[in-house]
Amino acid sequence: ETDGLSSITNYPVFEMTGSDVVIISQGTPFTDPGIKATAAGVEIPVEMNVTGAFTGSSGTTVNSDIADKYVITYTAENSDGFANTAVRTVWVVTTGDLTASIEGLYTATVLRGGVSSPQYTDLEYILIWKTGNNTYSISDALGGYYSIGRAYGDNYNAVGSIITANNIGTNDFSATTAVIPGFGNTVEVSGITVDAGSKTITFLGAGNFANANFDVTLTQVQP
């Protein structure tokens, strides 16, 4: 009575060449290191989709002319119609000298209410990119506290803040309000201080919710 009612299927298995996290300089062409998918030992086709996490771009290639976090999703489907995916992340960055530009890729350490924890230390990564002559955007005004530290994902970045650098040398900055889409809360950025010698940026991200003072220290990743 049960004969022929069940079967075995072999899900696609991926073999990725190179790292699953890649950092390249803005303007440098990206060549995918390659990936292979097999099902039951037989190679099968792989489709690739690329999404820009902060620009919202979508396509099949990484646009290395625009700074962003590009998420490459590889998809393969076996002969029974069952699919599997693998992911590679490509960061396209410009590294500013922190005297004329604060652009760059940063690790973040965040103290909430003055309290530190290994969970919120050296978080990877926060991106700052140029939006105008002296304006910048930051991928998370909370330094990745929720999105990375608590692993909630990009929907819990505090996004949309535009930082205006009136004078980097004197730490004269202003910033607009950021919003956390996943919560609907807002975050105000203040006290931005740049130290070109130590390659760090510090600031306060203050949310409109309880215990919401986040002291963020960004350390620039050097190419």
Side-chain angles (χ1 to χ4, degrees):
E1 292 181 0
T2 60
D3 186 37
L5 297 181
S6 62
S7 61
I8 296 173
T9 192
N10 293 279
Y11 275 79
V13 176
F14 291 94
E15 182 181 335
M16 183 181 291
T17 301
S19 175
D20 61 352
V21 178
V22 179
I23 302 171
I24 64 172
S25 296
Q26 190 171 349
T28 301
F30 171 74
T31 301
D32 195 289
I35 192 167
K36 182 173 72 172
T38 58
V42 178
E43 188 169 355
I44 56 177
V46 178
E47 293 184 356
M48 183 172 76
N49 182 69
V50 182
T51 302
F54 310 126
T55 63
S57 65
S58 181
T60 58
T61 59
V62 171
N63 185 354
S64 61
D65 291 329
I66 297 177
D68 204 345
K69 171 188 175 183
Y70 292 93
V71 180
I72 304 176
T73 302
Y74 307 96
T75 304
E77 186 177 291
N78 69 9
S79 58
D80 295 319
F82 292 98
N84 201 2
T85 60
V87 173
R88 190 193 314 268
T89 302
V90 180
W91 293 91
V92 176
V93 305
T94 291
T95 305
D97 59 7
L98 298 186
T99 58
S101 171
I102 62 171
E103 294 170 280
L105 191 67
Y106 297 82
T107 59
T109 295
V110 186
L111 280 66
R112 182 175 189 178
V115 178
S116 63
S117 166
Q119 182 179 354
Y120 308 106
T121 301
D122 296 328
L123 302 176
E124 298 178 346
Y125 293 103
I126 303 300
L127 181 67
I128 296 178
W129 66 96
K130 238 179 184 180
T131 59
N133 288 335
N134 68 329
T135 59
Y136 304 83
S137 192
I138 183 169
S139 61
D140 188 356
L142 294 182
Y145 185 89
Y146 290 107
S147 60
I148 307 169
R150 291 195 177 178
Y152 287 178
D154 285 344
N155 199 42
Y156 292 87
N157 286 323
V159 296
S161 177
I162 298 297
I163 298 169
T164 300
N166 301 305
N167 189 315
I168 296 174
T170 61
N171 291 313
D172 182 3
F173 295 93
S174 59
T176 62
T177 302
V179 177
I180 308 172
F183 293 139
N185 294 100
T186 59
V187 175
E188 302 296 337
V189 177
S190 63
I192 300 172
T193 302
V194 177
D195 187 329
S198 64
K199 301 296 183 184
T200 60
I201 300 174
T202 58
F203 62 86
L204 173 67
N208 65 340
F209 48 95
N211 189 25
N213 284 336
F214 299 82
D215 292 296
V216 179
T217 299
L218 303 179
T219 301
Q220 192 180 59
V221 176
Q222 298 305 299

